Amino acid sequence: MTRPDGETREYDIVIIGSGAGGGTVAQELAPMVAQGVRILVLEQGARLEEHEFTGRELEMSSALYEDAGGFLTADGTMTLAFGRAYGGSTVVYTGTSLIAPDRVIRSWCVPGLDFSDVERRSQKFMAQNDVHYLPRVLLNDNNKLFVTGCARVGAKAEQFPLNLRGCKGSSLCNMGCPNAAKMGTHRVQLPAAERGDVEVVTRAEALRIENHAVVARVHERRPGEKGLPSSWAPGDYRITARMVVAAGGSIGTSALLLRSPALAALRGVGERFTCHPAHILVAEHEREITNDVGHPKSYYLDRAEHEGYVLETCMYFPFVTAKNLTGFGVEHSTFMRAFPRLQMILVLACDKAVPGNRITVDAAGKAVVHYTFTPAVIRSMVSATRMSARIFFAAGARRVHAPSADPTLIEREQAYRLDDLIVERHFLPGRISVSAAHLMGGCAMGQEGASVTDSRGRVHGMPWLRVADSSLFPDSVEVNPYLTVMALADRVAEGIRDDWRA
Amino acid sequence: MSGSVLAPVRATFRAVAEAVVREAASLSPEGWRELEAQVETALASRPEAMQRQLVTFLRVIEYLPLLKHFRRFSRLSLDARTGILRGLEFSTRPLFRRGMWGLRTLVFLGYYTRDDVQGALGYRAHADGWSARRTTAEMRAAAAEPLGEG
């Protein structure tokens, strides 16, 4: 039957999103297909062919990121990066695989959720995704200098476990690995689900959720666009299902629920948004270093518990680097021309959920993210910037670019004055570049009445609707979030299987 | 907003771009067309309201110097233009700071995504990664290097 919403299709379970959450749920539910359960995954982005991962900055960011990676918060002071492709953000992350700390899970106070369960499930996916430490031969100077600098300032850099298989060190992780080496859901969980006859439809944008149904629009592949056409004809569809699983990420899922009139009674959607606001810090060395070859993010320094920040190695592409250097003109150009001598550190603040930092939708239903830097976040970022500058200089850098300093370039001779030069009053939102890629919260787990879902992603009062992504986090996770998303999605899938049997 | 966003403010945009990236001043007419095409592509997917804000902001920049310099922005020296943009960057009004940040980001997008510019910077990322850079002997040497304090 055709309705105003277009063609109607029937499934038993519809999963919206194919990233760490949706991909995991799809894989874990796939065995149910053999029992006659029809499962569909809707993914807004495209499925790229191997040869389309070129590593070219502009074309890949347009193909793989929402708003080409330039999604801005409502007041325009922060850029949010999240994936929009078959595999979601797992296509564009660097594969760093850390288990959420015990103290964080405890602080979330979610009834029914404990660390040992998260840990056990995280380990399952670490094994599945081939998580291991990169051999020394594949480490570049950018990472080695971080280790050296940390050691010289009395800090211990830790190596990231990474989910790679056959990494060639292209350094292009954030543009989608051109060598199919990163074990995201597009390489592991989604293919497994499809082998189990779960249907995955790409270019399918979920417009709204209705009672036991999803209204979706399948988009045409435009001329020159990367990716395969959708397996469904372009147009609108109303897809009925006994169960709907929202896994479109913190922003995607929150916006979808908020623009769905059938879910208007839900309270707390969009709230408790956190994102680990980040700076890219850059230092110039006297000599060329290997930075744009090798895995970019191999080490980190964890100061989350007591100082509210984490430092990670990183290396970005020319445009992203230019954007993240504060200022413009001669000094900026001079720094850019030193590209082969640049070392980079990513500073992440472990922000806390506060009222006001939340996701809403505009009149057209598009997500709007409201975010204000709290004094605690500014303090953490400034403190982390000072620490990074110490590490850079200890590693031999001749000058450091510090966004929260005026002037932003600090020469080696001034290294003894870092506490005076890098100060909170120079953290000027709107002038300095802040970006975030760890988007969390919006459909928080917790007690009924004070949250959106229970600990298994069941939306309170709507057992047919589940959430399975980082929007479940009641507060920031303080580590790279994908593994925790997979662990929680695994719990959601288990809950669905249990409920189905019942 | 259909068609070119930059067309009505092209002179101002180029004058801003030259101050933001000094090397842009030496771009050929073809180079400018390519830079602007990248910016137009990026703007095309943005809401019309944002496109209008950009045009308005560029018009404000164009006429702002009349008060002090008695000349329009696009007719000022490079140093004078830089001074005006610096004032916007450090403005006490967040709106101006954000506008300036957005504008410089667009210029960087148009300039630093060019293949010739990336090559000139020495950016050499390659899909083949290490094997495009090091010989087997160099790989062996790298594996033996100490890590840490050294």
Side-chain angles (χ1 to χ4, degrees), chain A residues 196-211:
Chain A
D197 285 334
V198 170
E199 188 177 354
V200 181
V201 176
T202 55
R203 301 184 187 275
E205 177 188 7
L207 301 176
R208 63 182 179 274
I209 294 174
E210 297 182 344
N211 191 10

Side-chain angles (χ1 to χ4, degrees), chain A residues 236-276:
Chain A
D236 288 0
Y237 295 83
R238 185 171 189 277
I239 306 147
T240 61
R242 287 169 62 187
M243 187 87 75
V244 174
V245 183
S250 169
I251 294 175
T253 292
S254 300
L256 175 62
L257 268 58
L258 286 166
R259 66 173 175 258
S260 299
L263 310 179
L266 288 177
R267 292 285 169 263
V269 177
E271 294 173 8
R272 309 191 71 80
F273 175 78
T274 56
C275 60
H276 297 162

